[in-house]
Amino acid sequence: MRILYGVCGVGAGHYSRSKILIEYLLKKKHELFIIGGLSAYDYLKKDFENVYYAKGLQIALNNNNSVSVIKTFIINYKIFLKRDYINNETIKKIDKFNPEIIISDFEPGTLNYSMRKGIRSIAFDNEHYITEGDYAIDNIRLIEYYITKKFAVEYNKADENIVLTFPGEKLKNKSKAIRIDPVIRKSLIENKKKTRNSVLIYLSITKNKKILEELKNFGEEFIVYGFNDELKDKNITFKKFSEENFDRDIKECKAVITTGGINLISEAIYLEKPILVIPIKKQFEQYLNALYVKENNYGENYKELTEENLRRFLNNLDNYKKKSYKPGNKELFNIIDKKLGEK
């Protein structure tokens, strides 16, 4: 089957999980035309053929690591109104490819193409948990919820939804979506039981010079991703991202510190690593993910990374729940096969 596949470029999680499904679809001899939004294009181009670039909606942050609604609107409003994510030359190539179905991991250009051409579309993402999920909303988060619901999730509508959620989360009774547990990369499923005394940090803390100095007061080794350089400063090792190195480090670490993206949190839970989540402020999805970690005792969530709350987290590692789960990979493949008309 000829499949147009779109991947959102905000955050590495979209590319990481889509790579799993794309590899499966190619193995099943489907023809793929791949659209990579923003940075996803660069990652996808390294691994696959027939990959093309698309613009994408971006999130603008304030200096205090919170989402700026005004700045986000300013950098996105032209694309938002015109919906010209994919350039005309690429559109012509898609027309020639003549897709029979469209799969999108929160990539609006391919979903917009689906709507204009009347081609059946499937959304495979975690963002639709915001509209399809069964959860309570704190009153102080209502504005964040409605903004996210209206201008992000509902803007990426598909005919059918496969919603990736944390283990145990449920969808609303009236939801027509299909829920699956997180998909996990093969490299993490194999030989996962390794531990040493390092703490993996995956967030940008380079602007916070104080916490960088405070990390040197700890006995642990810290491996930091999100810093575009490779260097070592006493007990802190800064690394540029590579999938091979990151896989080794997350399997060998004793704890993970990250923002609130679902993919890395899911991988840490699967590998039974305690998690300290520092969600991006006013980012409703990350708030939900951080709340899940705290309520299920997989770790902690704090507004800021400070020496005090980091020490509290590290001193409590033995008390956090370490319970893995069965990845949703096979379930996803079975669902996709059925939707593509395969037995």
Side-chain angles (χ1 to χ4, degrees), residues 51-75:
V51 178
Y52 296 86
Y53 178 81
K55 303 173 188 175
L57 301 178
Q58 303 176 64
I59 297 174
L61 302 180
N62 294 312
N63 291 332
N64 66 346
N65 198 41
S66 66
V67 173
S68 169
V69 176
I70 295 176
K71 291 179 182 178
T72 298
F73 174 77
I74 291 173
I75 64 174

Side-chain angles (χ1 to χ4, degrees), residues 287-306:
Y287 156 73
L288 286 181
N289 296 341
L291 192 64
Y292 175 88
V293 169
K294 176 68 175 178
E295 290 183 343
N296 288 276
N297 196 37
Y298 286 116
E300 301 287 350
N301 75 72
Y302 295 114
K303 293 181 179 180
E304 304 286 347
L305 181 61
T306 65

Side-chain angles (χ1 to χ4, degrees), residues 61-121:
L61 302 180
N62 294 312
N63 291 332
N64 66 346
N65 198 41
S66 66
V67 173
S68 169
V69 176
I70 295 176
K71 291 179 182 178
T72 298
F73 174 77
I74 291 173
I75 64 174
N76 290 306
Y77 81 94
K78 288 184 179 179
I79 300 175
F80 186 85
L81 294 176
K82 292 183 179 180
R83 300 196 177 210
D84 60 342
Y85 306 97
I86 305 171
N87 65 43
N88 290 333
E89 183 179 343
T90 304
I91 290 291
K92 291 177 182 178
K93 291 179 180 179
I94 297 174
D95 290 340
K96 186 176 180 181
F97 177 74
N98 191 24
E100 299 171 86
I101 195 168
I102 293 169
I103 300 176
S104 173
D105 188 335
F106 214 60
E107 195 291 303
T110 46
L111 291 176
N112 184 52
Y113 185 89
S114 163
M115 180 181 64
R116 289 192 296 106
K117 299 290 184 176
I119 302 172
R120 177 178 165 222
S121 60

Side-chain angles (χ1 to χ4, degrees), residues 43-58:
Y43 288 110
L44 292 163
K45 193 73 174 176
K46 295 176 184 177
D47 295 316
F48 304 107
E49 297 177 351
N50 214 25
V51 178
Y52 296 86
Y53 178 81
K55 303 173 188 175
L57 301 178
Q58 303 176 64

Side-chain angles (χ1 to χ4, degrees), residues 160-174:
E160 303 166 52
N161 291 291
I162 302 171
V163 182
L164 186 148
T165 81
F166 288 121
E169 289 187 322
K170 298 179 180 179
L171 303 185
K172 298 172 183 175
N173 290 332
K174 65 179 181 179

